[in-house]
């Protein structure tokens, strides 16, 4: 169970940490990519982290089945 991210216990915190780690790699010039398949993307903190990682140079591919509150057209 240590390897699994479980809501509500570890999912949000660890997901944010992993996005931050990818953003750091992108800033350092290392290959950085996020691929995520999720039901919905509505959490403002995670959206903000994804946008920061993208601005740092990380490639981000999202497959979102339901609601997605990521603002369109933002570089």
């Amino acid at each position: 169970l240590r390897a699994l991210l479980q809501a509500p216990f570890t999912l949000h915190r660890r997901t944010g940490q992993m996005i931050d780690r990818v953003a750091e790699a992108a800033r350092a010039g290392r290959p950085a990519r996020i691929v995520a398949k999720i039901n919905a993307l509505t959490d403002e903190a995670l959206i903000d982290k994804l946008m920061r990682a993208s601005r740092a140079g990380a490639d981000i591919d999202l497959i979102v089945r339901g609601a997605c509150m990521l603002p369109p057209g933002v570089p």
Side-chain angles (χ1 to χ4, degrees):
L1 290 177
R2 290 185 189 139
L4 297 176
L5 301 180
Q6 302 170 358
F9 307 109
T10 58
L11 180 65
H12 190 268
R13 179 177 43 85
R14 287 284 296 137
T15 302
Q17 289 171 348
M18 288 189 284
I19 294 170
D20 289 340
R21 192 171 60 197
V22 171
E24 271 185 45
R27 279 191 285 278
R30 296 190 309 269
R33 185 171 185 205
I34 297 171
V35 178
K37 180 179 178 184
I38 54 179
N39 288 330
L41 181 58
T42 58
D43 185 85
E44 291 181 31
L46 289 180
I47 291 170
D48 186 51
K49 285 181 180 285
L50 286 168
M51 290 174 57
R52 282 193 221 152
S54 176
R55 286 188 199 118
D59 292 326
I60 301 176
D61 296 309
L62 299 175
I63 302 164
V64 184
R65 287 179 23 147
C68 181
M69 296 176 64
L70 192 64
V74 177

